[in-house]
Amino acid sequence: MKALINNFLRGMLLIFPVTITIYIVYALVRWTNETLNTLIFEPFNIDIPGLGIITVFFGVSLLGFILTRAFIRPLVNYFESFVTRLPLVKIIYTSIKELTEAFVGEKKKFNQPVLIELNDSGLQRLGFITDDDLSDFELKDMVAVYCPHSYNFSGNLFIINSNKIKPIDISSSEIMKYVISAGVTDLNN
């Protein structure tokens, strides 16, 4: 009986994460596709599975192509200038834009993984240097380190003395995966 229960638990360890991942991806794709099909193609009485996602993919790619052209850049700059003058909108827009650029833009911020020492007891934490020049805050020899939380899309920003950090020679994506998984992901895979 004990062997049967152990085999069942091993099977659950395999099936549960795969099933949940497949379900979440399926539900997200289905919801996105249905929403986009309703918004874009319902007036034309067109119902082709996947057309909404394909349309958005190509639409965003086309928009990215257009926005990188020199003759459009002044319009984009004017729009951003206008948006950043609106009190509440400015905070939301700039925060989301900078967070997006931190992951995929030219100004990638999560590319310097480090180990930080939090106190004298030896407690350490993995993070990413997001700003190594805090002179605007009159903080000499200090750096900003973002430490993501495990199993979450949040984290903490620590301002820490630069001699309390140790650079890590592992790719940023591997460190992020390791932290998000609460250290259960094998760095060699």
Side-chain angles (χ1 to χ4, degrees), residues 107-122:
K107 305 174 189 175
K108 287 184 183 174
K109 292 286 188 178
F110 297 113
N111 59 356
Q112 296 178 350
V114 292
L115 188 64
I116 63 172
E117 186 179 325
L118 293 177
N119 56 32
D120 293 334
S121 70

Side-chain angles (χ1 to χ4, degrees), residues 52-166:
I53 291 175
I54 292 169
T55 303
V56 167
F57 175 78
F58 284 113
V60 170
S61 298
L62 179 65
L63 186 62
F65 174 77
I66 292 170
L67 292 179
T68 58
R69 300 296 149 231
F71 63 90
I72 296 291
R73 199 73 206 141
L75 291 173
V76 172
N77 291 341
Y78 175 77
F79 172 76
E80 287 185 345
S81 171
F82 174 73
V83 167
T84 56
R85 283 184 272 160
L86 301 173
L88 180 61
V89 176
K90 173 186 177 176
I91 294 169
I92 297 168
Y93 176 77
T94 56
S95 298
I96 292 172
K97 181 179 181 205
E98 289 172 5
L99 181 64
T100 304
E101 287 177 343
F103 283 104
V104 296
E106 295 172 7
K107 305 174 189 175
K108 287 184 183 174
K109 292 286 188 178
F110 297 113
N111 59 356
Q112 296 178 350
V114 292
L115 188 64
I116 63 172
E117 186 179 325
L118 293 177
N119 56 32
D120 293 334
S121 70
L123 182 64
Q124 296 180 330
R125 191 158 184 192
L126 291 168
F128 301 89
I129 295 177
T130 56
D131 193 354
D132 57 5
D133 180 16
L134 298 178
S135 57
D136 291 344
F137 298 104
E138 298 179 10
L139 297 172
K140 186 178 178 185
D141 299 326
M142 303 293 274
V143 296
V145 178
Y146 176 75
C147 297
H149 291 147
S150 299
Y151 297 110
N152 208 332
F153 291 106
S154 64
N156 294 93
L157 178 67
F158 293 99
I159 306 300
I160 190 164
N161 197 303
S162 59
N163 66 4
K164 298 272 187 185
I165 64 171
K166 177 183 173 189

Side-chain angles (χ1 to χ4, degrees), residues 30-68:
R30 184 175 177 195
W31 176 82
T32 304
N33 188 59
E34 287 175 359
T35 303
L36 295 172
N37 275 341
T38 301
L39 291 174
I40 299 170
F41 297 110
E42 189 175 277
F44 306 112
N45 211 12
I46 299 173
D47 187 22
I48 301 172
L51 187 60
I53 291 175
I54 292 169
T55 303
V56 167
F57 175 78
F58 284 113
V60 170
S61 298
L62 179 65
L63 186 62
F65 174 77
I66 292 170
L67 292 179
T68 58

